Amino acid sequence: MSKYLWCSGATDVTGQALADALNLELVKKRPRNLRRADIVIGWGAKTNDAVDMGQAKVLNHPDKIRDNRNKFTTLQTLAGVRSLNNSIVPFKPANEIKRAIDRGEMSFPLVGRTNYHQGGKGFWLCLTLSHVDSAINEGAQYFQGYADIDTEYRLHVAFGKIIYAQKKVENPTEEGWVAQRKEKIDNYAQKNNVNLDNDTVNYVLTRLVKEAVLPDRIVRSNRRGWKFSSVAPNSVIKALRDVAIKAVEKMGLDFGAVDCAKKSDGSPMVIEINSGPGLQRTAFDKYVESFTAKIQELERGNVAQRAGRAVQNAVNRNQNEQPDAEAPVQENVGGAGIINDAALAQLMNAVQTPEEARRVLDIAMGRG
């Protein structure tokens, strides 16, 4: 059995750290020769076409990650779920937005976005029709109503549970802005084998921060004076926790970081799902803990399947070898059939690990 973590260039920093912590092989394309017992974790894996993963156990299938990367189709999917519909702010594709405004289906202010936007990129705040025209000319592919947000969160969901919660808070200090930008620059330089002079980077960033408006009240990103702060999951309203879990489920994902918010009227709002979020400290540890438990569960399932097949194969061989009524006395084995000592020896020779051997004995002794 082999275990892999499949990431992309944009998610490989956390991906590599997770692979190391979980003792998985890091890959950036489909592993070759996948087998039934193999396990693959998709961590923001980037693909353009459908991928056949065979019978391997896959957590966050790359096809589902690809679907989720398109923010517009994600909104369409979630808006089509009755229990989530009210949590999605109304939206329209760029080629329909003007007609929707004329009919009163959409109203200003509006936000223009690209289908594959990330963070604060691909964002146009539109207050007039001329703003909409400019946004379309500059690349906006859909428009969404501008929501009056009270508090924004990132809720980390794994296997039907909230495993970690963060609240977005103001981080208006120039030092924080410089540190965040420097971290991203250093990561980019390291991945591309670029040598940077530390003093020069610091000097440039301390000059650029003077031009920044911190915190930005329109775009709440870490580049614009905001950061995530850890909070207890139960401190988040239950309605928001529920829609976050449901959103991950309906996108066909096993885990994801859901950007969401409590609106000023107290109602929940889903913004997007991140299938390969950057993780640090406690958030990282929570994913390692969840993945470890899930991998162990899948491994136990693989053992049980192999043991069951081994028992059945031994029973079949035994029945074929001793078809007559004069055969030696045999026992009923766990409801699977009849088996004698010779067949049991063949069965035990077929197992590959001590855990499989114990599981086979449990079945042979009728312990399920």
Side-chain angles (χ1 to χ4, degrees), residues 93-298:
N95 62 354
E96 295 181 14
I97 186 62
K98 288 189 175 181
R99 291 193 298 274
I101 293 172
D102 289 341
R103 293 193 295 263
E105 297 172 359
M106 300 288 288
S107 59
F108 294 106
L110 296 169
V111 175
R113 309 251 35 190
T114 57
N115 289 346
Y116 294 92
H117 64 79
Q118 288 184 308
K121 297 179 180 179
F123 182 102
W124 294 265
L125 179 62
C126 300
L127 305 179
T128 66
L129 282 174
S130 62
H131 289 168
V132 170
D133 287 333
S134 296
I136 293 173
N137 290 335
E138 293 170 12
Q141 295 172 294
Y142 72 91
F143 291 82
Q144 193 168 20
Y146 184 83
D148 185 7
I149 292 176
D150 175 71
T151 310
E152 190 172 339
Y153 296 92
R154 174 167 287 183
L155 300 183
H156 297 266
V157 177
F159 315 115
K161 300 178 181 178
I162 306 279
I163 62 170
Y164 191 64
Q166 297 168 294
K167 179 170 73 173
K168 191 169 282 189
V169 298
E170 293 181 12
N171 183 34
T173 66
E174 293 185 356
E175 294 80 4
W177 187 94
V178 169
Q180 289 169 342
R181 297 303 292 265
K182 188 173 187 299
E183 181 181 10
K184 289 184 178 296
I185 291 171
D186 287 344
N187 287 339
Y188 180 83
Q190 183 178 2
K191 287 198 295 185
N192 291 276
N193 297 316
V194 175
N195 293 320
L196 295 176
D197 179 76
N198 191 61
D199 291 339
T200 301
V201 173
N202 287 334
Y203 175 77
V204 171
L205 290 176
T206 54
R207 298 292 296 179
L208 288 176
V209 73
K210 304 299 182 183
E211 303 174 11
V213 177
L214 304 174
D216 189 322
R217 300 293 177 185
I218 305 301
V219 182
R220 301 186 182 190
S221 71
N222 62 359
R223 297 182 179 183
R224 305 196 188 197
W226 296 83
K227 67 177 181 179
F228 280 115
S229 179
S230 174
V231 296
N234 286 342
S235 70
V236 182
I237 60 172
K238 184 177 184 301
L240 192 54
R241 285 182 277 141
D242 289 346
V243 298
I245 292 171
K246 180 68 71 173
V248 171
E249 174 194 335
K250 291 303 180 182
M251 289 307 300
L253 299 170
D254 298 288
F255 61 86
V258 183
D259 287 343
C260 51
K262 182 180 73 171
K263 293 190 286 186
S264 58
D265 63 4
S267 62
M269 168 187 168
V270 173
I271 301 171
E272 63 181 9
I273 305 171
N274 303 280
S275 63
L279 302 175
Q280 294 179 332
R281 296 181 290 277
T282 305
F284 179 85
D285 293 341
K286 291 294 185 181
Y287 275 88
V288 170
E289 180 182 325
S290 295
F291 284 146
T292 298
K294 191 64 176 180
I295 289 170
Q296 291 174 347
E297 176 188 326
L298 293 175

